[in-house]
Amino acid sequence: TDDRVKPVAYNKELNDLGQVQNQTMDKVQGLIYAQQDFVSDVSHELRTPVAIVKGHLELLNRWGKDDPEVLEDSIRSSLAEISRMETLVNEMLVLTRAENLNVTSQPEITEVLPIIERVYHDLQMVHPDFSWTFDNDLDQPVEVAVRADHLEQLLIILIDNASKYSTDRKEIHLALAKAGTWVEIGVQDFGQGIAAEDLDRVFDRFYRVDKARAHRTGGNGLGLSIVKKMVAAYGGQVQVESALGSGSIFRLRFPICRPEKTE
Ligand code: ADP
């Protein structure tokens, strides 16, 4: 019987090893596909502005440079497209860094309230046509293991969206509260809202509900994907609740840091 048992055990190990190898190969394949998708998304996004600038330069080269109006219009449009490309490239770098964030080594501890207050104060000046409110429910300072500039960046993306996608009712409402062992930051607007079928996809890279409008508002569909990657890297969560025509609320959540217990 020993002779029969042994080969079976031996085969099982080989089989396990094979499975591990298969899983590794699947993961590698998945990463390769993700990389290919990224390159293809990026190429697609850059194709339009490149084509526009090329079109203008060709026009100027043929005859346009002799007409001051055409010349001026082509230069203005080309500069606008180049700015778009610049933003796109910069935000892609941010996204790539967010994907590779290594926050495990020495996490920076940040008190949440001063960061929100600063962003709130700064963005109020950027959007003076909005009416702003901020509800702070915290009764004591709360800290999170998130780099201050990253927390700031997350808030700026969400508040910037709230302003971009607001329509008649120009109000932005921020809220800060504890939710159990988490701290929650809410950014609410009363703008166009997001349809239920788009809600899951707004966090996808380059996804925009309304491409034409997003182009006019200078969007590139990267903001929320940066938020999602960055929040995940810090062990946080981001959620959205929205109703078409009445507005949206985005909620960021991070685990609250507790001071180390000394025994
Ligand atoms: P964008 O650069 O287009 O704003 P984001 O990744 O930040 O890219 O957002 C993706 C899409 O989600 C936007 O194009 C818009 O359609 C939708 N969206 C994001 N925030 C809001 C909001 N506060 N209200 C309504 N729609 C929003």
Side-chain angles (χ1 to χ4, degrees), residues 180-203:
T181 57
W182 299 70
V183 62
E184 186 178 282
I185 306 166
V187 178
Q188 184 172 19
D189 67 69
F190 303 87
Q192 66 187 58
I194 303 164
E197 67 262 29
D198 292 310
L199 266 189
D200 286 345
R201 304 181 62 192
V202 292
F203 294 101

mmCIF file with all atom_site columns, all heavy atoms in Angstrom, residues 180-203:
data_model
loop_
_atom_site.group_PDB
_atom_site.id
_atom_site.type_symbol
_atom_site.label_atom_id
_atom_site.label_alt_id
_atom_site.label_comp_id
_atom_site.label_asym_id
_atom_site.label_entity_id
_atom_site.label_seq_id
_atom_site.pdbx_PDB_ins_code
_atom_site.Cartn_x
_atom_site.Cartn_y
_atom_site.Cartn_z
_atom_site.occupancy
_atom_site.B_iso_or_equiv
_atom_site.pdbx_formal_charge
_atom_site.auth_seq_id
_atom_site.auth_comp_id
_atom_site.auth_asym_id
_atom_site.auth_atom_id
_atom_site.pdbx_PDB_model_num
ATOM 1   N N   . GLY A 1 180 ? -17.838 55.318 13.404  1.00 0.00 ? 180 GLY A N   1
ATOM 2   C CA  . GLY A 1 180 ? -17.180 54.208 14.108  1.00 0.00 ? 180 GLY A CA  1
ATOM 3   C C   . GLY A 1 180 ? -15.695 54.479 14.230  1.00 0.00 ? 180 GLY A C   1
ATOM 4   O O   . GLY A 1 180 ? -15.280 55.522 14.733  1.00 0.00 ? 180 GLY A O   1
ATOM 5   N N   . THR A 1 181 ? -14.875 53.576 13.683  1.00 0.00 ? 181 THR A N   1
ATOM 6   C CA  . THR A 1 181 ? -13.427 53.744 13.772  1.00 0.00 ? 181 THR A CA  1
ATOM 7   C C   . THR A 1 181 ? -12.876 54.467 12.537  1.00 0.00 ? 181 THR A C   1
ATOM 8   O O   . THR A 1 181 ? -11.676 54.491 12.298  1.00 0.00 ? 181 THR A O   1
ATOM 9   C CB  . THR A 1 181 ? -12.732 52.371 13.898  1.00 0.00 ? 181 THR A CB  1
ATOM 10  O OG1 . THR A 1 181 ? -13.123 51.571 12.768  1.00 0.00 ? 181 THR A OG1 1
ATOM 11  C CG2 . THR A 1 181 ? -13.116 51.679 15.178  1.00 0.00 ? 181 THR A CG2 1
ATOM 12  N N   . TRP A 1 182 ? -13.798 54.998 11.756  1.00 0.00 ? 182 TRP A N   1
ATOM 13  C CA  . TRP A 1 182 ? -13.393 55.692 10.535  1.00 0.00 ? 182 TRP A CA  1
ATOM 14  C C   . TRP A 1 182 ? -13.720 57.179 10.644  1.00 0.00 ? 182 TRP A C   1
ATOM 15  O O   . TRP A 1 182 ? -14.613 57.570 11.382  1.00 0.00 ? 182 TRP A O   1
ATOM 16  C CB  . TRP A 1 182 ? -14.153 55.149 9.317   1.00 0.00 ? 182 TRP A CB  1
ATOM 17  C CG  . TRP A 1 182 ? -13.929 53.701 9.045   1.00 0.00 ? 182 TRP A CG  1
ATOM 18  C CD1 . TRP A 1 182 ? -14.385 52.644 9.804   1.00 0.00 ? 182 TRP A CD1 1
ATOM 19  C CD2 . TRP A 1 182 ? -13.208 53.119 7.961   1.00 0.00 ? 182 TRP A CD2 1
ATOM 20  N NE1 . TRP A 1 182 ? -13.989 51.453 9.250   1.00 0.00 ? 182 TRP A NE1 1
ATOM 21  C CE2 . TRP A 1 182 ? -13.263 51.715 8.105   1.00 0.00 ? 182 TRP A CE2 1
ATOM 22  C CE3 . TRP A 1 182 ? -12.519 53.654 6.873   1.00 0.00 ? 182 TRP A CE3 1
ATOM 23  C CZ2 . TRP A 1 182 ? -12.660 50.831 7.219   1.00 0.00 ? 182 TRP A CZ2 1
ATOM 24  C CZ3 . TRP A 1 182 ? -11.925 52.768 5.975   1.00 0.00 ? 182 TRP A CZ3 1
ATOM 25  C CH2 . TRP A 1 182 ? -11.991 51.384 6.156   1.00 0.00 ? 182 TRP A CH2 1
ATOM 26  N N   . VAL A 1 183 ? -12.989 57.964 9.855   1.00 0.00 ? 183 VAL A N   1
ATOM 27  C CA  . VAL A 1 183 ? -13.378 59.352 9.728   1.00 0.00 ? 183 VAL A CA  1
ATOM 28  C C   . VAL A 1 183 ? -13.930 59.509 8.305   1.00 0.00 ? 183 VAL A C   1
ATOM 29  O O   . VAL A 1 183 ? -13.431 58.892 7.364   1.00 0.00 ? 183 VAL A O   1
ATOM 30  C CB  . VAL A 1 183 ? -12.203 60.324 10.007  1.00 0.00 ? 183 VAL A CB  1
ATOM 31  C CG1 . VAL A 1 183 ? -11.069 60.150 9.022   1.00 0.00 ? 183 VAL A CG1 1
ATOM 32  C CG2 . VAL A 1 183 ? -12.690 61.762 10.014  1.00 0.00 ? 183 VAL A CG2 1
ATOM 33  N N   . GLU A 1 184 ? -14.997 60.283 8.198   1.00 0.00 ? 184 GLU A N   1
ATOM 34  C CA  . GLU A 1 184 ? -15.664 60.405 6.905   1.00 0.00 ? 184 GLU A CA  1
ATOM 35  C C   . GLU A 1 184 ? -15.725 61.864 6.471   1.00 0.00 ? 184 GLU A C   1
ATOM 36  O O   . GLU A 1 184 ? -16.103 62.734 7.245   1.00 0.00 ? 184 GLU A O   1
ATOM 37  C CB  . GLU A 1 184 ? -17.080 59.836 7.023   1.00 0.00 ? 184 GLU A CB  1
ATOM 38  C CG  . GLU A 1 184 ? -17.797 59.797 5.707   1.00 0.00 ? 184 GLU A CG  1
ATOM 39  C CD  . GLU A 1 184 ? -19.180 59.179 5.841   1.00 0.00 ? 184 GLU A CD  1
ATOM 40  O OE1 . GLU A 1 184 ? -19.274 57.945 5.927   1.00 0.00 ? 184 GLU A OE1 1
ATOM 41  O OE2 . GLU A 1 184 ? -20.155 59.953 5.888   1.00 0.00 ? 184 GLU A OE2 1
ATOM 42  N N   . ILE A 1 185 ? -15.316 62.092 5.220   1.00 0.00 ? 185 ILE A N   1
ATOM 43  C CA  . ILE A 1 185 ? -15.380 63.440 4.656   1.00 0.00 ? 185 ILE A CA  1
ATOM 44  C C   . ILE A 1 185 ? -16.363 63.396 3.493   1.00 0.00 ? 185 ILE A C   1
ATOM 45  O O   . ILE A 1 185 ? -16.189 62.603 2.566   1.00 0.00 ? 185 ILE A O   1
ATOM 46  C CB  . ILE A 1 185 ? -13.999 63.890 4.129   1.00 0.00 ? 185 ILE A CB  1
ATOM 47  C CG1 . ILE A 1 185 ? -12.924 63.751 5.214   1.00 0.00 ? 185 ILE A CG1 1
ATOM 48  C CG2 . ILE A 1 185 ? -14.068 65.316 3.603   1.00 0.00 ? 185 ILE A CG2 1
ATOM 49  C CD1 . ILE A 1 185 ? -11.504 63.860 4.683   1.00 0.00 ? 185 ILE A CD1 1
ATOM 50  N N   . GLY A 1 186 ? -17.379 64.250 3.559   1.00 0.00 ? 186 GLY A N   1
ATOM 51  C CA  . GLY A 1 186 ? -18.376 64.270 2.494   1.00 0.00 ? 186 GLY A CA  1
ATOM 52  C C   . GLY A 1 186 ? -18.254 65.534 1.652   1.00 0.00 ? 186 GLY A C   1
ATOM 53  O O   . GLY A 1 186 ? -18.012 66.618 2.180   1.00 0.00 ? 186 GLY A O   1
ATOM 54  N N   . VAL A 1 187 ? -18.358 65.376 0.360   1.00 0.00 ? 187 VAL A N   1
ATOM 55  C CA  . VAL A 1 187 ? -18.366 66.524 -0.559  1.00 0.00 ? 187 VAL A CA  1
ATOM 56  C C   . VAL A 1 187 ? -19.657 66.436 -1.367  1.00 0.00 ? 187 VAL A C   1
ATOM 57  O O   . VAL A 1 187 ? -19.854 65.510 -2.141  1.00 0.00 ? 187 VAL A O   1
ATOM 58  C CB  . VAL A 1 187 ? -17.153 66.496 -1.514  1.00 0.00 ? 187 VAL A CB  1
ATOM 59  C CG1 . VAL A 1 187 ? -17.206 67.665 -2.485  1.00 0.00 ? 187 VAL A CG1 1
ATOM 60  C CG2 . VAL A 1 187 ? -15.839 66.512 -0.737  1.00 0.00 ? 187 VAL A CG2 1
ATOM 61  N N   . GLN A 1 188 ? -20.526 67.411 -1.127  1.00 0.00 ? 188 GLN A N   1
ATOM 62  C CA  . GLN A 1 188 ? -21.851 67.334 -1.742  1.00 0.00 ? 188 GLN A CA  1
ATOM 63  C C   . GLN A 1 188 ? -22.109 68.514 -2.670  1.00 0.00 ? 188 GLN A C   1
ATOM 64  O O   . GLN A 1 188 ? -21.735 69.649 -2.372  1.00 0.00 ? 188 GLN A O   1
ATOM 65  C CB  . GLN A 1 188 ? -22.915 67.321 -0.637  1.00 0.00 ? 188 GLN A CB  1
ATOM 66  C CG  . GLN A 1 188 ? -24.319 67.154 -1.170  1.00 0.00 ? 188 GLN A CG  1
ATOM 67  C CD  . GLN A 1 188 ? -25.340 66.953 -0.066  1.00 0.00 ? 188 GLN A CD  1
ATOM 68  O OE1 . GLN A 1 188 ? -25.063 67.278 1.102   1.00 0.00 ? 188 GLN A OE1 1
ATOM 69  N NE2 . GLN A 1 188 ? -26.503 66.435 -0.409  1.00 0.00 ? 188 GLN A NE2 1
ATOM 70  N N   . ASP A 1 189 ? -22.732 68.206 -3.817  1.00 0.00 ? 189 ASP A N   1
ATOM 71  C CA  . ASP A 1 189 ? -23.184 69.287 -4.694  1.00 0.00 ? 189 ASP A CA  1
ATOM 72  C C   . ASP A 1 189 ? -24.649 69.063 -5.043  1.00 0.00 ? 189 ASP A C   1
ATOM 73  O O   . ASP A 1 189 ? -25.214 68.014 -4.740  1.00 0.00 ? 189 ASP A O   1
ATOM 74  C CB  . ASP A 1 189 ? -22.317 69.357 -5.960  1.00 0.00 ? 189 ASP A CB  1
ATOM 75  C CG  . ASP A 1 189 ? -22.489 68.141 -6.845  1.00 0.00 ? 189 ASP A CG  1
ATOM 76  O OD1 . ASP A 1 189 ? -23.568 67.977 -7.441  1.00 0.00 ? 189 ASP A OD1 1
ATOM 77  O OD2 . ASP A 1 189 ? -21.535 67.330 -6.947  1.00 0.00 ? 189 ASP A OD2 1
ATOM 78  N N   . PHE A 1 190 ? -25.237 70.067 -5.670  1.00 0.00 ? 190 PHE A N   1
ATOM 79  C CA  . PHE A 1 190 ? -26.654 69.987 -6.014  1.00 0.00 ? 190 PHE A CA  1
ATOM 80  C C   . PHE A 1 190 ? -26.804 70.186 -7.516  1.00 0.00 ? 190 PHE A C   1
ATOM 81  O O   . PHE A 1 190 ? -27.704 70.844 -7.996  1.00 0.00 ? 190 PHE A O   1
ATOM 82  C CB  . PHE A 1 190 ? -27.438 71.010 -5.192  1.00 0.00 ? 190 PHE A CB  1
ATOM 83  C CG  . PHE A 1 190 ? -27.238 70.805 -3.716  1.00 0.00 ? 190 PHE A CG  1
ATOM 84  C CD1 . PHE A 1 190 ? -26.160 71.397 -3.057  1.00 0.00 ? 190 PHE A CD1 1
ATOM 85  C CD2 . PHE A 1 190 ? -28.083 69.963 -3.007  1.00 0.00 ? 190 PHE A CD2 1
ATOM 86  C CE1 . PHE A 1 190 ? -25.934 71.165 -1.709  1.00 0.00 ? 190 PHE A CE1 1
ATOM 87  C CE2 . PHE A 1 190 ? -27.855 69.730 -1.651  1.00 0.00 ? 190 PHE A CE2 1
ATOM 88  C CZ  . PHE A 1 190 ? -26.781 70.333 -1.004  1.00 0.00 ? 190 PHE A CZ  1
ATOM 89  N N   . GLY A 1 191 ? -25.866 69.593 -8.243  1.00 0.00 ? 191 GLY A N   1
ATOM 90  C CA  . GLY A 1 191 ? -25.782 69.787 -9.685  1.00 0.00 ? 191 GLY A CA  1
ATOM 91  C C   . GLY A 1 191 ? -26.469 68.715 -10.496 1.00 0.00 ? 191 GLY A C   1
ATOM 92  O O   . GLY A 1 191 ? -27.492 68.171 -10.092 1.00 0.00 ? 191 GLY A O   1
ATOM 93  N N   . GLN A 1 192 ? -25.838 68.387 -11.625 1.00 0.00 ? 192 GLN A N   1
ATOM 94  C CA  . GLN A 1 192 ? -26.510 67.524 -12.603 1.00 0.00 ? 192 GLN A CA  1
ATOM 95  C C   . GLN A 1 192 ? -26.684 66.075 -12.151 1.00 0.00 ? 192 GLN A C   1
ATOM 96  O O   . GLN A 1 192 ? -27.537 65.371 -12.678 1.00 0.00 ? 192 GLN A O   1
ATOM 97  C CB  . GLN A 1 192 ? -25.769 67.573 -13.942 1.00 0.00 ? 192 GLN A CB  1
ATOM 98  C CG  . GLN A 1 192 ? -24.369 66.985 -13.920 1.00 0.00 ? 192 GLN A CG  1
ATOM 99  C CD  . GLN A 1 192 ? -23.634 67.220 -15.234 1.00 0.00 ? 192 GLN A CD  1
ATOM 100 O OE1 . GLN A 1 192 ? -23.459 68.345 -15.674 1.00 0.00 ? 192 GLN A OE1 1
ATOM 101 N NE2 . GLN A 1 192 ? -23.229 66.141 -15.871 1.00 0.00 ? 192 GLN A NE2 1
ATOM 102 N N   . GLY A 1 193 ? -25.883 65.630 -11.189 1.00 0.00 ? 193 GLY A N   1
ATOM 103 C CA  . GLY A 1 193 ? -26.023 64.261 -10.706 1.00 0.00 ? 193 GLY A CA  1
ATOM 104 C C   . GLY A 1 193 ? -25.544 63.232 -11.719 1.00 0.00 ? 193 GLY A C   1
ATOM 105 O O   . GLY A 1 193 ? -25.128 63.575 -12.829 1.00 0.00 ? 193 GLY A O   1
ATOM 106 N N   . ILE A 1 194 ? -25.603 61.972 -11.319 1.00 0.00 ? 194 ILE A N   1
ATOM 107 C CA  . ILE A 1 194 ? -25.099 60.887 -12.162 1.00 0.00 ? 194 ILE A CA  1
ATOM 108 C C   . ILE A 1 194 ? -26.181 59.808 -12.219 1.00 0.00 ? 194 ILE A C   1
ATOM 109 O O   . ILE A 1 194 ? -26.724 59.407 -11.193 1.00 0.00 ? 194 ILE A O   1
ATOM 110 C CB  . ILE A 1 194 ? -23.806 60.289 -11.555 1.00 0.00 ? 194 ILE A CB  1
ATOM 111 C CG1 . ILE A 1 194 ? -22.741 61.383 -11.370 1.00 0.00 ? 194 ILE A CG1 1
ATOM 112 C CG2 . ILE A 1 194 ? -23.248 59.165 -12.430 1.00 0.00 ? 194 ILE A CG2 1
ATOM 113 C CD1 . ILE A 1 194 ? -21.606 60.994 -10.440 1.00 0.00 ? 194 ILE A CD1 1
ATOM 114 N N   . ALA A 1 195 ? -26.464 59.332 -13.427 1.00 0.00 ? 195 ALA A N   1
ATOM 115 C CA  . ALA A 1 195 ? -27.489 58.295 -13.576 1.00 0.00 ? 195 ALA A CA  1
ATOM 116 C C   . ALA A 1 195 ? -26.992 56.989 -12.958 1.00 0.00 ? 195 ALA A C   1
ATOM 117 O O   . ALA A 1 195 ? -25.792 56.711 -12.952 1.00 0.00 ? 195 ALA A O   1
ATOM 118 C CB  . ALA A 1 195 ? -27.792 58.093 -15.059 1.00 0.00 ? 195 ALA A CB  1
ATOM 119 N N   . ALA A 1 196 ? -27.950 56.192 -12.459 1.00 0.00 ? 196 ALA A N   1
ATOM 120 C CA  . ALA A 1 196 ? -27.603 54.943 -11.766 1.00 0.00 ? 196 ALA A CA  1
ATOM 121 C C   . ALA A 1 196 ? -26.682 54.066 -12.612 1.00 0.00 ? 196 ALA A C   1
ATOM 122 O O   . ALA A 1 196 ? -25.727 53.480 -12.097 1.00 0.00 ? 196 ALA A O   1
ATOM 123 C CB  . ALA A 1 196 ? -28.876 54.191 -11.405 1.00 0.00 ? 196 ALA A CB  1
ATOM 124 N N   . GLU A 1 197 ? -26.943 54.011 -13.940 1.00 0.00 ? 197 GLU A N   1
ATOM 125 C CA  . GLU A 1 197 ? -26.134 53.096 -14.775 1.00 0.00 ? 197 GLU A CA  1
ATOM 126 C C   . GLU A 1 197 ? -24.690 53.576 -14.953 1.00 0.00 ? 197 GLU A C   1
ATOM 127 O O   . GLU A 1 197 ? -23.834 52.815 -15.374 1.00 0.00 ? 197 GLU A O   1
ATOM 128 C CB  . GLU A 1 197 ? -26.793 52.840 -16.137 1.00 0.00 ? 197 GLU A CB  1
ATOM 129 C CG  . GLU A 1 197 ? -26.849 54.052 -17.060 1.00 0.00 ? 197 GLU A CG  1
ATOM 130 C CD  . GLU A 1 197 ? -28.208 54.752 -17.010 1.00 0.00 ? 197 GLU A CD  1
ATOM 131 O OE1 . GLU A 1 197 ? -28.870 54.694 -15.939 1.00 0.00 ? 197 GLU A OE1 1
ATOM 132 O OE2 . GLU A 1 197 ? -28.587 55.353 -18.032 1.00 0.00 ? 197 GLU A OE2 1
ATOM 133 N N   . ASP A 1 198 ? -24.438 54.855 -14.644 1.00 0.00 ? 198 ASP A N   1
ATOM 134 C CA  . ASP A 1 198 ? -23.064 55.362 -14.786 1.00 0.00 ? 198 ASP A CA  1
ATOM 135 C C   . ASP A 1 198 ? -22.295 55.337 -13.469 1.00 0.00 ? 198 ASP A C   1
ATOM 136 O O   . ASP A 1 198 ? -21.077 55.494 -13.461 1.00 0.00 ? 198 ASP A O   1
ATOM 137 C CB  . ASP A 1 198 ? -23.084 56.810 -15.303 1.00 0.00 ? 198 ASP A CB  1
ATOM 138 C CG  . ASP A 1 198 ? -23.595 56.890 -16.728 1.00 0.00 ? 198 ASP A CG  1
ATOM 139 O OD1 . ASP A 1 198 ? -23.091 56.124 -17.562 1.00 0.00 ? 198 ASP A OD1 1
ATOM 140 O OD2 . ASP A 1 198 ? -24.490 57.711 -16.993 1.00 0.00 ? 198 ASP A OD2 1
ATOM 141 N N   . LEU A 1 199 ? -23.038 55.164 -12.360 1.00 0.00 ? 199 LEU A N   1
ATOM 142 C CA  . LEU A 1 199 ? -22.413 55.324 -11.036 1.00 0.00 ? 199 LEU A CA  1
ATOM 143 C C   . LEU A 1 199 ? -21.173 54.463 -10.832 1.00 0.00 ? 199 LEU A C   1
ATOM 144 O O   . LEU A 1 199 ? -20.161 54.942 -10.330 1.00 0.00 ? 199 LEU A O   1
ATOM 145 C CB  . LEU A 1 199 ? -23.422 55.020 -9.932  1.00 0.00 ? 199 LEU A CB  1
ATOM 146 C CG  . LEU A 1 199 ? -24.171 56.215 -9.364  1.00 0.00 ? 199 LEU A CG  1
ATOM 147 C CD1 . LEU A 1 199 ? -24.963 55.792 -8.139  1.00 0.00 ? 199 LEU A CD1 1
ATOM 148 C CD2 . LEU A 1 199 ? -23.228 57.355 -9.017  1.00 0.00 ? 199 LEU A CD2 1
ATOM 149 N N   . ASP A 1 200 ? -21.243 53.194 -11.242 1.00 0.00 ? 200 ASP A N   1
ATOM 150 C CA  . ASP A 1 200 ? -20.105 52.297 -11.030 1.00 0.00 ? 200 ASP A CA  1
ATOM 151 C C   . ASP A 1 200 ? -18.922 52.682 -11.900 1.00 0.00 ? 200 ASP A C   1
ATOM 152 O O   . ASP A 1 200 ? -17.787 52.375 -11.577 1.00 0.00 ? 200 ASP A O   1
ATOM 153 C CB  . ASP A 1 200 ? -20.484 50.853 -11.390 1.00 0.00 ? 200 ASP A CB  1
ATOM 154 C CG  . ASP A 1 200 ? -21.366 50.249 -10.336 1.00 0.00 ? 200 ASP A CG  1
ATOM 155 O OD1 . ASP A 1 200 ? -21.424 50.830 -9.238  1.00 0.00 ? 200 ASP A OD1 1
ATOM 156 O OD2 . ASP A 1 200 ? -21.998 49.218 -10.616 1.00 0.00 ? 200 ASP A OD2 1
ATOM 157 N N   . ARG A 1 201 ? -19.200 53.310 -13.015 1.00 0.00 ? 201 ARG A N   1
ATOM 158 C CA  . ARG A 1 201 ? -18.142 53.507 -14.004 1.00 0.00 ? 201 ARG A CA  1
ATOM 159 C C   . ARG A 1 201 ? -17.408 54.832 -13.857 1.00 0.00 ? 201 ARG A C   1
ATOM 160 O O   . ARG A 1 201 ? -16.370 55.018 -14.482 1.00 0.00 ? 201 ARG A O   1
ATOM 161 C CB  . ARG A 1 201 ? -18.732 53.386 -15.398 1.00 0.00 ? 201 ARG A CB  1
ATOM 162 C CG  . ARG A 1 201 ? -19.449 52.035 -15.565 1.00 0.00 ? 201 ARG A CG  1
ATOM 163 C CD  . ARG A 1 201 ? -20.036 51.859 -16.921 1.00 0.00 ? 201 ARG A CD  1
ATOM 164 N NE  . ARG A 1 201 ? -18.997 51.876 -17.950 1.00 0.00 ? 201 ARG A NE  1
ATOM 165 C CZ  . ARG A 1 201 ? -19.259 51.969 -19.248 1.00 0.00 ? 201 ARG A CZ  1
ATOM 166 N NH1 . ARG A 1 201 ? -20.502 52.080 -19.658 1.00 0.00 ? 201 ARG A NH1 1
ATOM 167 N NH2 . ARG A 1 201 ? -18.283 51.973 -20.120 1.00 0.00 ? 201 ARG A NH2 1
ATOM 168 N N   . VAL A 1 202 ? -17.949 55.763 -13.052 1.00 0.00 ? 202 VAL A N   1
ATOM 169 C CA  . VAL A 1 202 ? -17.289 57.073 -12.963 1.00 0.00 ? 202 VAL A CA  1
ATOM 170 C C   . VAL A 1 202 ? -15.875 56.983 -12.388 1.00 0.00 ? 202 VAL A C   1
ATOM 171 O O   . VAL A 1 202 ? -15.063 57.871 -12.615 1.00 0.00 ? 202 VAL A O   1
ATOM 172 C CB  . VAL A 1 202 ? -18.117 58.133 -12.172 1.00 0.00 ? 202 VAL A CB  1
ATOM 173 C CG1 . VAL A 1 202 ? -19.371 58.513 -12.937 1.00 0.00 ? 202 VAL A CG1 1
ATOM 174 C CG2 . VAL A 1 202 ? -18.402 57.671 -10.776 1.00 0.00 ? 202 VAL A CG2 1
ATOM 175 N N   . PHE A 1 203 ? -15.581 55.884 -11.688 1.00 0.00 ? 203 PHE A N   1
ATOM 176 C CA  . PHE A 1 203 ? -14.235 55.728 -11.130 1.00 0.00 ? 203 PHE A CA  1
ATOM 177 C C   . PHE A 1 203 ? -13.271 55.087 -12.132 1.00 0.00 ? 203 PHE A C   1
ATOM 178 O O   . PHE A 1 203 ? -12.092 54.937 -11.847 1.00 0.00 ? 203 PHE A O   1
ATOM 179 C CB  . PHE A 1 203 ? -14.279 54.902 -9.841  1.00 0.00 ? 203 PHE A CB  1
ATOM 180 C CG  . PHE A 1 203 ? -14.998 55.591 -8.718  1.00 0.00 ? 203 PHE A CG  1
ATOM 181 C CD1 . PHE A 1 203 ? -16.304 55.265 -8.394  1.00 0.00 ? 203 PHE A CD1 1
ATOM 182 C CD2 . PHE A 1 203 ? -14.359 56.584 -7.991  1.00 0.00 ? 203 PHE A CD2 1
ATOM 183 C CE1 . PHE A 1 203 ? -16.966 55.915 -7.364  1.00 0.00 ? 203 PHE A CE1 1
ATOM 184 C CE2 . PHE A 1 203 ? -15.014 57.238 -6.954  1.00 0.00 ? 203 PHE A CE2 1
ATOM 185 C CZ  . PHE A 1 203 ? -16.322 56.906 -6.647  1.00 0.00 ? 203 PHE A CZ  1
#
